[in-house]
Amino acid sequence: MNHKSAKHMLLERPWFIVLALAGLIGGALLITSFIRSTDNTLSLCSTAKTTAQSIAEYTATPIQLQSIVHYATSRTVPQQTFDEISISLEVLKDRLPCNFLVFGLGRDSLMWASLNPGGTTVFMEEDPEWIQAVLKDAPSLRAHHVQYRTQLSQADRLLKTYRSEPKCLPANAFPIRYNEKCPLALTSLPDEFYDTEWDLIMVDAPKGYFATAPGRMAAIFSSAVMARNRKGAGTTHVFLHDVDRKVEKAYANEFLCEKYRVKSAGRLWHFEIPNAANMSDQPGDRFC
């Protein structure tokens, strides 16, 4: 058996993924603690002493402890692969504590919340019964119900015709809270969605694999609009999962833009989108 085959078999085993995930979380916590406590101007001995104190004094948050126990004592594993998760983790380590918006509430929600200690992690989910089921076991998660105005069967038509509606154009789409004229704008969400400037956005929902499902068109469009209208420093990191599907890929290329894609792994694409002030060469009638 060659090396690749052996690796593939290991990754297929739930226990291996659980151990890898526990190591991923633990390593992130240790690295974060080290970064926050170490001054680059210190000497080698002083740095070692500070690091040892940091490790000794570090206290995990309740949700981090719950996350480790949850994944270590069940066969439940996140939907994304280790390589896909690692891309988002690298950004989280650099930006935390941050504002992290996740479209989708599921088997990886405890993990995402635990990887953003001290930050704000909010989940958007279209199925109210599923929200109740998840929060029953993890009541500390912050989740909101989303009602989408689109269906997957409309995806091709919306992509071809959105420019005919002025309120769908990048110069006019914001604020999306009141943008009823553009069917791709998310307009019926809690205030927290609109009032928070999100540093990271993960689009891994809603459902997008049957005709009457909402599809991810509005989530992708609205993420692009919010990123372009960021007021704070830095770019907005947008992660899109399931890019092997036609709609996700087409909408990513139209609204998140190939030129802003910086990394990829498996079925995940990572974009760094600057705000509109840093898009002086960008035409006002299209996103890319």
Side-chain angles (χ1 to χ4, degrees):
M1 179 181 297
N2 61 33
H3 175 70
K4 289 185 177 180
S5 296
K7 181 179 179 183
H8 177 74
M9 288 184 65
L10 283 174
L11 291 175
E12 287 296 311
R13 299 180 183 177
W15 62 265
F16 179 84
I17 299 177
V18 168
L19 290 176
L21 179 59
L24 189 72
I25 295 173
L29 304 182
L30 184 61
I31 292 170
T32 301
S33 178
F34 175 83
I35 292 173
R36 288 179 171 177
S37 64
T38 304
D39 188 331
N40 290 333
T41 62
L42 294 175
S43 66
L44 182 61
C45 291
S46 178
T47 300
K49 180 179 179 181
T50 302
T51 304
Q53 290 175 341
S54 173
I55 295 172
E57 296 172 357
Y58 180 80
T59 301
T61 64
I63 200 167
Q64 290 170 337
L65 296 176
Q66 182 186 2
S67 178
I68 291 173
V69 171
H70 171 75
Y71 292 113
T73 58
S74 73
R75 295 181 62 84
T76 299
V77 295
Q79 292 97 320
Q80 295 185 23
T81 67
F82 184 87
D83 289 341
E84 291 169 347
I85 293 169
S86 297
I87 289 180
S88 305
L89 173 61
E90 287 302 312
V91 179
L92 282 165
K93 287 190 298 184
D94 182 61
R95 298 291 291 266
L96 64 81
C98 65
N99 295 326
F100 186 15
L101 176 67
V102 183
F103 285 94
L105 183 69
R107 294 175 294 180
D108 52 9
S109 297
L110 269 174
M111 178 194 68
W112 292 129
S114 70
L115 291 177
N116 186 26
T120 298
T121 305
V122 177
F123 301 89
M124 298 289 169
E125 170 61 42
E126 82 262 28
D127 186 344
E129 293 183 0
W130 179 241
I131 293 176
Q132 293 180 6
V134 173
L135 295 187
K136 181 179 179 180
D137 295 327
S140 58
L141 294 178
R142 298 172 62 175
H144 298 295
H145 179 226
V146 184
Q147 289 185 312
Y148 292 90
R149 297 189 289 160
T150 59
Q151 290 188 350
L152 185 65
S153 60
Q154 303 168 333
D156 289 342
R157 178 179 59 80
L158 288 171
L159 193 61
K160 293 176 181 178
T161 63
Y162 82 91
R163 290 185 190 176
S164 63
E165 170 49 62
K167 294 296 286 185
C168 287
L169 300 181
N172 306 321
F174 192 82
I176 58 174
R177 185 201 305 249
Y178 309 111
N179 192 351
E180 296 290 344
K181 291 186 176 182
C182 181
L184 290 170
L186 293 174
T187 59
S188 303
L189 302 184
D191 290 342
E192 183 175 35
F193 175 81
Y194 305 105
D195 297 340
T196 304
E197 190 158 86
W198 303 104
D199 303 300
L200 282 73
I201 303 175
M202 174 71 70
V203 181
D204 205 0
K207 297 181 181 68
Y209 51 87
F210 55 94
T212 57
R216 298 182 185 172
M217 302 87 71
I220 295 170
F221 173 87
S222 297
S223 296
V225 171
M226 289 189 294
R228 293 171 63 94
N229 286 275
R230 180 183 180 86
K231 300 297 187 293
T235 58
T236 302
H237 295 265
V238 179
F239 307 91
L240 175 62
H241 199 224
D242 297 317
V243 294
D244 56 318
R245 301 195 303 213
K246 174 186 174 182
V247 170
E248 278 80 354
K249 182 177 292 185
Y251 274 71
N253 289 331
E254 183 72 20
F255 298 111
L256 300 177
C257 309
E258 173 66 23
K259 63 183 176 181
Y260 299 136
R261 180 155 65 95
V262 292
K263 287 185 180 180
S264 64
R267 296 180 295 139
L268 183 91
W269 282 354
H270 169 205
F271 300 84
E272 285 189 35
I273 302 180
N275 60 26
N278 293 315
M279 295 181 180
S280 57
D281 60 339
Q282 182 64 47
D285 62 342
R286 61 180 184 268
F287 284 80
C288 301

